[in-house]
C-alpha cells in the first residue's frame, strides 16, 4: 500500500477552507465544475472531467467524515479501477496565519504510472484550492492546468 | 519506506529535457539559481535556497547515474536529516509527442509532515522544469511558487 501525500498552506480562515472541501459548490470551485450530488456524511459526490469537450470520466465518491474546520474524508466507490476503494482525506489546522491542508490519498494497491500522474495532478488541484479560497478563483476542470499527454 | 512520485509530460525532445536535469546550468534553470558543482557521475551538486533574502539551507547531492535521454539519478549526502541518504531519480521516455518524466524521491524513513510538503513542492518544481524546457523560462528558487508558511 502506498499513499499520495501533499501539504499546502492557505491564507484564509479554517472555516473557509473547510467549506471549499465540504460542500458541492466548494468542490466545483477548485476540482471540477461538473460536481453533482450531496456532500453530507453517507452522501455521494459525482465528479466528472472533460478536456477539449471530450468526456474523460470521473469518480463517484462517498462522504465518510465531515468535521467542521478539521477534517473531510471521502471514499471512491466508482471510477478507474486503481481508485475504487481508495480514501481521500484532508486534515486541517492553523499555523503561522495559514490554514494548513494535509492531504492523503491512501489505499493504492500498486505504485503504477497512473499513481505518479495522480500525485502531480493532486498538487495542481490543491494549488487550485488555495487560489479558489484566497482569491475566489480556482482552476477546476475543464480549465485545469495541463501537465502531460494524460492531461 | 515511502516514496514521492510524480509524472509530467514536456513538449520537447528528450535530449533537451535530459540536459535540463543532467547539467548544472539546466538544474539552475528550474530548481534553484544557486546550483554549484559538477554534474558528472561521482560528482557533487550543491543546491541552496533563499526566501526574501534569507538563507533556507539546501542539499549536497551526489550524481549516481547519467544516461543520456533516459535517466538521471542523484543521492542526497548533506542537508535536512530526512533527506540524507534518499535518492532522487528522473526516468525519461517518449509518448504521444511528449517527453515523459517519471520522478521518484525514494528512501524516506517516515511519512512525516515535511514529506507532505516536499511532495507538493516537487510537483511545483517539475512544472517549473516543464516551463523551463518548453519556453526557456522556469521558476527556480528564489522565484519559486510559494505553497505555504514553509514556502
Amino acid at each position: 500500500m502506498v499513499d499520495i501525500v501533499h501539504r499546502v498552506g492557505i491564507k484564509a480562515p479554517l472555516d473557509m477552507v473547510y467549506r471549499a472541501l465540504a460542500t458541492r459548490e466548494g468542490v466545483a470551485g477548485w476540482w471540477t465544475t461538473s460536481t453533482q450530488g450531496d456532500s453530507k456524511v453517507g452522501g455521494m459526490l459525482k465528479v466528472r472531467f472533460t478536456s477539449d469537450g471530450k468526456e474523460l470520466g470521473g469518480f463517484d465518491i462517498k462522504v465518510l467524515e465531515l468535521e467542521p474546520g478539521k477534517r473531510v474524508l471521502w471514499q471512491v466507490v466508482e471510477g478507474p479501477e486503481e481508485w475504487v476503494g481508495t480514501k481521500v482525506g484532508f486534515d486541517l489546522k492553523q499555523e503561522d496565519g495559514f490554514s494548513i491542508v494535509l492531504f492523503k490519498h491512501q489505499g493504492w494497491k500498486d505504485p503504477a504510472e497512473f499513481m505518479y500522474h495522480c500525485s502531480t495532478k493532486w498538487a495542481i488541484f490543491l494549488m487550485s484550492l488555495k487560489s479558489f479560497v484566497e482569491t475566489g478563483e480556482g482552476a477546476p476542470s475543464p480549465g485545469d492546468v495541463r501537465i502531460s499527454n494524460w492531461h
Side-chain angles (χ1 to χ4, degrees), chain A residues 31-117:
Chain A
W31 198 15
T32 173
T33 56
S34 177
T35 300
Q36 306 295 330
D38 206 5
S39 184
K40 62 180 184 193
V41 174
M44 296 277 287
L45 282 172
K46 287 169 188 282
V47 297
R48 296 294 180 270
F49 299 84
T50 54
S51 166
D52 307 324
K54 203 176 62 179
E55 302 271 339
L56 298 177
F59 316 106
D60 292 356
I61 286 169
K62 188 170 177 178
V63 179
L64 295 186
E65 294 180 31
L66 289 176
E67 248 192 281
K70 278 207 177 153
R71 182 173 165 80
V72 170
L73 184 65
W74 297 334
Q75 184 161 34
V76 180
V77 295
E78 285 285 345
E81 191 195 336
E82 298 93 332
W83 277 57
V84 174
T86 61
K87 289 183 186 174
V88 178
F90 306 83
D91 282 295
L92 308 180
K93 65 175 177 176
Q94 244 172 343
E95 205 176 285
D96 303 336
F98 284 82
S99 291
I100 305 297
V101 180
L102 293 175
F103 170 91
K104 189 191 271 194
H105 187 172
Q106 57 185 316
W108 290 81
K109 287 179 195 80
D110 195 40
E113 196 170 333
F114 184 52
M115 184 180 168
Y116 286 59
H117 166 77

Side-chain angles (χ1 to χ4, degrees), chain A residues 4-5 12 23 26 28 38 41 107 114 118 123 145 151:
Chain A
I4 294 170
V5 294
T23 67
D38 206 5
V41 174
F114 184 52
C118 293
V145 175
H151 202 326

